[in-house]
């Protein structure tokens, strides 16, 4: 029955070419099979297929697709069995991954922060479809980080006035890896942060530049803080810095402004003298009255004394 139908089609279309005893049709190969499709299939725009990044950098893998429709874009890595991302959702347990979707350009770009050596390999930008397996392979090469040569440097003022604060900064780069630690030394003694807060030492390490940075702060410096300061790292790097403490304080002495006598000083003096005179007059009147009261008693006493004397 099938053969008869096919032959009838051949007789009705004698002008159509026949390949392998079958008429040529608008067919698309999908998973090795053939089927008709009137819907345009997705296609990838031209983007780089090989990227080279330095270790620690941020990688951006571009994937631009047209005619995506309602299909999903999936990012994979050949060494990872599960998808890295599906759409804009990060599926892999890696917070360094992120997908930036730009609808107007049809881009689904994969961002990888702080690249490591194990991020090298083959990545795949894939479109989920039942009709055909659409993918674009991208190779990522992570280069060794360009390491700086070993170096140590101290920054800060070489002169400071008595009573001011001294701040010194020591930067030590260890090449491929940062030094584990460093110490501040003065007069062959290791300086430490004290409880009073006069001496304070802070440290932090930058993994991006493999550098350890330490700040030494001494408040209210005195002549005893004058001299050489050393910054010593655990990998035997040493830097010396000389600080001179001057005797004068940075705070300028306040100029004394002579106070002028008030204009009413003479009047005040006259008032005081007047008060004294009034007080004396007042006391004289009171003493006079007291004297008058005591006069009879004094006279009586005198008379008694005379009588007694005469009797003897």
């Amino acid at each position: 029955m099938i053969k008869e139908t096919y032959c009838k089609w051949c007789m009705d279309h004698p002008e159509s070419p026949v390949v392998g005893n079958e008429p040529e049709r608008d067919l698309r190969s999908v998973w090795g099979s053939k089927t008709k499709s009137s819907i345009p299939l997705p296609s990838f725009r031209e983007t780089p297929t090989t990227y080279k990044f330095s270790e620690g950098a941020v990688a951006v893998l571009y994937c631009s697709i047209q005619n995506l429709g309602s299909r999903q874009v999936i990012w994979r890595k050949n060494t990872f069995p599960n998808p890295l991302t599906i759409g804009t959702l990060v599926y892999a347990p890696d917070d360094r991954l992120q997908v930036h979707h730009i609808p107007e350009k049809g881009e689904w770009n994969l961002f990888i922060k702080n690249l490591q050596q194990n991020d090298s390999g083959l990545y795949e930008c894939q479109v989920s479809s039942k009709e055909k397996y659409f993918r674009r392979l991208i190779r990522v090469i992570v280069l060794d980080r360009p390491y700086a040569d070993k170096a140590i440097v101290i920054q800060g003022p070489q002169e400071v006035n008595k009573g001011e604060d001294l701040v010194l900064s020591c930067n030590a780069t260890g090449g491929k890896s940062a030094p584990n630690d460093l110490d501040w030394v003065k007069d062959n003694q290791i300086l430490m942060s004290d409880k009073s807060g006069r001496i304070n030492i802070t440290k932090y390490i930058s993994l991006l530049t493999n550098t350890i940075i330490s700040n030494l702060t001494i408040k209210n410096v005195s002549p005893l803080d004058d001299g050489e300061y050393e910054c010593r790292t655990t990998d035997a790097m040493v830097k010396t810095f000389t600080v001179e403490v001057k005797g004068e304080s940075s705070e300028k002495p306040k100029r004394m402004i002579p106070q002028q006598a008030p204009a009413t000083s003479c009047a005040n003096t006259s008032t005081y003298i007047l008060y004294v005179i009034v007080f004396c007059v007042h006391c004289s009147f009171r003493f006079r009255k007291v004297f008058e009261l005591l006069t009879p008693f004094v006279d009586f006493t005198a008379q008694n004394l005379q009588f007694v004397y005469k009797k003897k």
Side-chain angles (χ1 to χ4, degrees), residues 101-204:
H101 175 43
I102 305 177
E104 58 272 16
K105 295 183 179 180
E107 293 185 358
W108 299 79
N109 305 324
L110 178 64
F111 280 62
I112 308 176
K113 301 177 183 179
N114 190 22
L115 274 177
Q116 305 298 322
Q117 287 293 337
N118 56 7
D119 291 323
S120 297
L122 201 61
Y123 290 78
E124 177 181 319
C125 180
Q126 178 188 23
V127 176
S128 61
S129 175
K130 297 180 180 179
E131 300 172 350
K132 189 177 180 180
Y133 187 52
F134 298 97
R135 66 175 182 175
R136 188 173 185 84
L137 299 179
I138 298 174
R139 184 175 298 278
V140 174
I141 301 174
V142 179
L143 306 175
D144 290 337
R145 181 181 301 172
Y147 300 109
D149 296 334
K150 285 189 174 184
I152 183 172
V153 61
I154 297 179
Q155 296 177 339
Q158 293 183 333
E159 295 181 355
V160 62
N161 293 326
K162 179 182 176 182
E164 291 182 338
D165 294 345
L166 173 64
V167 180
L168 300 179
S169 178
C170 179
N171 297 354
T173 302
K176 290 187 176 181
S177 61
N180 295 329
D181 200 359
L182 62 77
D183 292 318
W184 287 96
V185 180
K186 184 179 184 298
D187 299 333
N188 295 324
Q189 293 185 354
I190 297 178
L191 299 178
M192 305 288 290
S193 298
D194 56 15
K195 295 182 179 179
S196 65
R198 181 176 179 271
I199 299 179
N200 183 44
I201 298 176
T202 59
K203 302 175 185 178
Y204 66 93

Side-chain angles (χ1 to χ4, degrees), residues 246-259:
K246 294 185 177 181
E248 297 181 357
S249 175
S250 61
E251 297 183 358
K252 296 183 179 179
K254 296 181 179 179
R255 186 176 61 180
M256 300 299 294
I257 301 177
Q259 297 182 354

Side-chain angles (χ1 to χ4, degrees), residues 15-287:
E15 72 281 359
S16 300
V18 177
V19 180
N21 297 326
E22 290 186 4
E24 184 180 29
R25 303 179 184 179
D26 184 15
L27 303 177
R28 295 181 185 269
S29 175
V30 181
W31 296 97
S33 62
K34 297 179 180 181
T35 180
K36 274 190 175 183
S37 177
S38 59
I39 301 176
L41 297 179
S43 61
F44 293 91
R45 296 185 178 93
E46 288 298 326
T47 54
T49 56
T50 302
Y51 293 90
K52 293 182 180 181
F53 301 100
S54 297
E55 185 179 1
V58 177
V60 183
L61 310 184
Y62 291 91
C63 183
S64 181
I65 305 171
Q66 58 185 357
N67 302 326
L68 181 62
S70 60
R71 304 173 183 87
Q72 292 281 357
V73 177
I74 302 173
W75 277 97
R76 293 179 177 272
K77 188 181 180 184
N78 60 343
T79 57
F80 195 71
N82 298 319
L84 299 177
T85 64
I86 300 177
T88 57
L89 177 65
V90 178
Y91 187 80
D94 192 343
D95 57 1
R96 299 178 303 133
L97 302 178
Q98 189 176 6
V99 173
H100 286 195
H101 175 43
I102 305 177
E104 58 272 16
K105 295 183 179 180
E107 293 185 358
W108 299 79
N109 305 324
L110 178 64
F111 280 62
I112 308 176
K113 301 177 183 179
N114 190 22
L115 274 177
Q116 305 298 322
Q117 287 293 337
N118 56 7
D119 291 323
S120 297
L122 201 61
Y123 290 78
E124 177 181 319
C125 180
Q126 178 188 23
V127 176
S128 61
S129 175
K130 297 180 180 179
E131 300 172 350
K132 189 177 180 180
Y133 187 52
F134 298 97
R135 66 175 182 175
R136 188 173 185 84
L137 299 179
I138 298 174
R139 184 175 298 278
V140 174
I141 301 174
V142 179
L143 306 175
D144 290 337
R145 181 181 301 172
Y147 300 109
D149 296 334
K150 285 189 174 184
I152 183 172
V153 61
I154 297 179
Q155 296 177 339
Q158 293 183 333
E159 295 181 355
V160 62
N161 293 326
K162 179 182 176 182
E164 291 182 338
D165 294 345
L166 173 64
V167 180
L168 300 179
S169 178
C170 179
N171 297 354
T173 302
K176 290 187 176 181
S177 61
N180 295 329
D181 200 359
L182 62 77
D183 292 318
W184 287 96
V185 180
K186 184 179 184 298
D187 299 333
N188 295 324
Q189 293 185 354
I190 297 178
L191 299 178
M192 305 288 290
S193 298
D194 56 15
K195 295 182 179 179
S196 65
R198 181 176 179 271
I199 299 179
N200 183 44
I201 298 176
T202 59
K203 302 175 185 178
Y204 66 93
I205 296 178
S206 172
L207 298 178
L208 183 62
T209 58
N210 294 331
T211 302
I212 182 172
I213 303 171
S214 177
N215 294 326
L216 168 65
T217 303
I218 302 178
K219 297 181 179 180
N220 191 22
V221 297
S222 67
L224 296 177
D225 299 315
D226 188 286
E228 291 187 350
Y229 291 81
E230 290 184 355
C231 180
R232 299 178 181 177
T233 65
T234 52
D235 54 357
M237 288 192 294
V238 179
K239 186 67 175 180
T240 303
F241 192 84
T242 303
V243 176
E244 179 183 357
V245 178
K246 294 185 177 181
E248 297 181 357
S249 175
S250 61
E251 297 183 358
K252 296 183 179 179
K254 296 181 179 179
R255 186 176 61 180
M256 300 299 294
I257 301 177
Q259 297 182 354
Q260 296 180 355
T264 60
S265 60
C266 295
N268 292 337
T269 303
S270 301
T271 303
Y272 294 147
I273 295 174
L274 181 60
Y275 285 159
V276 172
I277 294 173
V278 172
F279 178 76
C280 293
V281 172
H282 176 72
C283 290
S284 64
F285 281 109
R286 289 183 63 88
F287 289 153

